Amino acid sequence: MSPSHSHGGAPRAPRRPQGAGPAPAGHRNSAPSAGHQPPPQQQPVALWQQLLAVAAALQAIRSGQSGTAALAAVDAALRPGVQALLFQVLRQAGRAEALRRAMVPRTPPPAADALLCTALALCWNPQESPYEPFTLVNQSVEAAKRHTATRAQASFINGCLRRFLREQAALVQGTDADPLARWNHPAWWIARLRKDHPAHWEQILQANNTHAPMTLRVNAQKSTLPLYQQALSAINLEAKPVGPSGLELRQPVPVQALPGFGDGQVSVQDAAAQLAAPLLLNGLDLSQPLRVLDACAAPGGKTAHLLEMAGAGAPLQVTALEIDPVRSARIGETLQRLGLQANVLVADAARPEGWWQQHCGGALFDAILLDAPCTASGIVRRHPDVRWLRRESDIAQLAVLQAQLLAALWPLVRPGGRLLYCTCSVFRAEGDGQVQTFLAHNTDAQLLPSPGHLIPGNGDKAGAVPDNQFGDHDGFFYALLQKSPQ
């Protein structure tokens, strides 16, 4: 199975090395954001234990495993605190690596290097450090002594970290000019953004190193935005509207704490992802039978939003495709919680011959949503491992797959129908470049008014690109294509 075919808003499995673990799963904005202080544990856990687990996760990510897979290997009692610390480490991993190189040009053994960089990432900036730097150093050395893979390097780690505490100001200043340390992204990623977004590349990189908000989508079939906002206020949860169906929480909470989550009143979905359903359906007569295809549907958030918008009893027939059986099952779970129904198929959207005639009767679709596999470069705030997993060559490889999907699905759109192409990427090769190439080769396609590239962060801030119309959202791209009537 090609992991790139399975796409519902989460990052794809990394392509380095082959056989890497699964990609982060869940809604685009369901990944918990790590705060400065680790969340409280069920039982007291020594900091050195957490640091060992964080270092092991960092080492796994460096070897090509996704952050989700690395965290899954952590003991459940440790996981909340480890995730909080790991996210902070990943957001500062470039600075940590630069500091380590300044002290030790030769790379230490992988386990020792991961533990050393974990400590440096957490303590290099005392204002953002979750613990006092001396505490982090002491506990990191204790962690080194406690683990067989690092015990032999415990004195070396101790010496490096003590030196860092003595020479902190000079060492930090000495790495300030290093782009890897300054921006905490690979050099190729920085160069690509400078080329693609010359006026906003710094804003994108800065946003990637911040925490994303938790944004909700209110189910229009079961509640309204004002009513649900009142329900949140009744339990002292502050939220502000973003778009016609969204509420951005002031502070993230577990989904179990959300009123009516279990019976489908609300879902977790980023504000940018909430644009998909209205972009595709606005202007269509929802009182008439419509055939809609969600081509890469897992985990089902956009499928559900399409059905919610149509309303109860509307003659909207939605087919949801997903090539990965495990991820496909999540579509069913999402729809069941929300009380919605769709025709869910385990199938490859790029090969309609395997499902279109047999399961759809060979009938053309009025509208197709193609949320295509991509680098996930727009959702780095929620999945900070993505920047360290991707290779520059992934962009071209995924662009080929995106073009294949467009070519395979466009013939399935009826004359006068529409296709919404979107990716959670900020790279132009996966957005505007892809669509311009498609339009050049398909004269029966017209580009309707669309948001285009949305950059991550708060669209209300001064200097934000005009396309960012509301709220704090992920990086995205949208292009609405209409087929000629004849």
Side-chain angles (χ1 to χ4, degrees), residues 382-395:
R382 304 186 189 281
H383 298 282
D385 56 324
V386 168
R387 73 190 91 181
W388 308 118
L389 292 170
R390 284 293 176 212
R391 297 182 304 181
E392 188 171 14
S393 59
D394 290 345
I395 301 174

Side-chain angles (χ1 to χ4, degrees), residues 21 27 43 50-52 162 205 220 250 255 269 294 299 328 366 375-376 379 406 417 419 423 425 435 459 469:
H27 297 283
Q43 296 177 349
Q50 290 185 318
L51 294 173
L52 264 184
R162 301 292 173 185
L205 291 170
R250 183 178 178 87
V255 293
Q269 188 180 44
D294 188 351
S328 180
D366 299 286
T375 56
I379 57 172
L406 279 167
L419 182 150
T423 63
S425 174
V435 169
Q469 298 173 1

Side-chain angles (χ1 to χ4, degrees), residues 261-343:
F261 181 84
D263 60 15
Q265 291 186 39
V266 70
S267 297
V268 178
Q269 188 180 44
D270 181 75
Q274 290 187 36
L275 293 175
L279 278 169
L280 186 64
L281 295 183
N282 283 349
L284 299 179
D285 187 353
L286 298 179
S287 68
Q288 299 298 315
L290 291 174
R291 295 172 54 83
V292 176
L293 173 68
D294 188 351
C296 303
K302 295 183 182 67
T303 303
H305 196 189
L306 290 167
L307 293 164
E308 291 171 8
M309 276 196 65
L316 186 71
Q317 301 176 30
V318 177
T319 298
L321 294 185
E322 176 55 47
I323 193 172
D324 184 340
V326 175
R327 287 172 56 80
S328 180
R330 298 194 62 206
I331 302 174
E333 294 167 1
T334 297
L335 297 178
Q336 183 177 13
R337 181 180 64 82
L338 296 168
L340 302 168
Q341 289 187 335
N343 180 26

Side-chain angles (χ1 to χ4, degrees), residues 448-465:
L448 299 181
S450 312
H453 281 281
L454 301 171
I455 68 172
N458 192 333
D460 298 329
K461 291 179 181 175
V465 294

Side-chain angles (χ1 to χ4, degrees), residues 47-388:
L47 179 55
W48 67 263
Q49 291 178 280
Q50 290 185 318
L51 294 173
L52 264 184
V54 173
L58 177 61
Q59 185 179 350
I61 291 167
R62 284 176 165 180
S63 71
Q65 196 174 87
S66 74
T68 296
L71 284 167
V74 177
D75 182 86
L78 290 172
R79 197 173 301 142
V82 168
Q83 176 169 292
L85 292 172
L86 176 64
F87 275 29
Q88 184 166 350
V89 167
L90 292 170
R91 291 183 176 118
Q92 301 296 329
R95 174 72 72 168
E97 185 176 329
L99 288 169
R100 194 270 299 155
R101 285 203 310 264
M103 293 187 290
V104 189
R106 185 175 180 180
T107 305
D113 189 46
L115 182 56
L116 179 56
C117 286
T118 291
L120 291 170
L122 293 173
C123 73
W124 80 269
N125 184 354
Q127 293 181 334
E128 296 184 2
S129 179
Y131 300 95
E132 290 294 328
F134 280 103
T135 300
L136 283 166
V137 168
N138 289 336
Q139 289 295 293
S140 296
V141 174
E142 183 67 20
K145 294 176 179 177
R146 297 269 191 156
H147 197 269
T148 54
T150 53
R151 191 170 296 141
Q153 288 83 38
S155 295
F156 160 76
I157 292 173
N158 181 56
C160 287
L161 292 177
R162 301 292 173 185
R163 177 189 170 190
F164 173 75
L165 291 180
R166 292 193 306 270
E167 305 174 20
Q168 181 174 354
L171 286 168
V172 171
Q173 184 177 8
T175 58
D176 281 342
D178 186 340
L180 179 69
R182 171 69 179 85
W183 298 110
N184 288 291
H185 285 71
W188 70 261
W189 191 302
I190 299 169
R192 191 81 180 215
L193 284 181
R194 293 188 70 165
K195 178 183 176 182
D196 284 358
H197 303 279
H200 303 287
W201 65 276
E202 291 179 307
Q203 182 180 341
I204 296 171
L205 291 170
Q206 287 169 350
N208 284 354
N209 290 323
T210 63
H211 305 284
M214 184 173 183
T215 307
L216 310 178
R217 185 189 76 243
V218 178
N219 185 349
Q221 295 190 21
K222 297 192 174 185
S223 187
T224 66
L225 209 62
L227 282 176
Y228 196 80
Q229 192 171 13
Q230 290 176 17
L232 291 174
S233 180
I235 56 173
N236 298 316
L237 292 180
E238 295 184 42
K240 64 179 181 180
V242 286
S245 304
L247 287 169
E248 181 184 310
L249 293 177
R250 183 178 178 87
Q251 295 291 338
V253 297
V255 293
Q256 295 81 4
L258 297 172
F261 181 84
D263 60 15
Q265 291 186 39
V266 70
S267 297
V268 178
Q269 188 180 44
D270 181 75
Q274 290 187 36
L275 293 175
L279 278 169
L280 186 64
L281 295 183
N282 283 349
L284 299 179
D285 187 353
L286 298 179
S287 68
Q288 299 298 315
L290 291 174
R291 295 172 54 83
V292 176
L293 173 68
D294 188 351
C296 303
K302 295 183 182 67
T303 303
H305 196 189
L306 290 167
L307 293 164
E308 291 171 8
M309 276 196 65
L316 186 71
Q317 301 176 30
V318 177
T319 298
L321 294 185
E322 176 55 47
I323 193 172
D324 184 340
V326 175
R327 287 172 56 80
S328 180
R330 298 194 62 206
I331 302 174
E333 294 167 1
T334 297
L335 297 178
Q336 183 177 13
R337 181 180 64 82
L338 296 168
L340 302 168
Q341 289 187 335
N343 180 26
V344 180
L345 302 177
V346 177
D348 186 350
R351 299 180 179 276
E353 66 274 13
W355 53 268
W356 182 47
Q357 286 286 349
Q358 181 180 357
H359 297 286
C360 302
L364 298 177
F365 293 97
D366 299 286
I368 294 179
L369 170 59
L370 173 54
D371 183 6
C374 70
T375 56
S377 57
I379 57 172
V380 175
R381 299 186 303 172
R382 304 186 189 281
H383 298 282
D385 56 324
V386 168
R387 73 190 91 181
W388 308 118

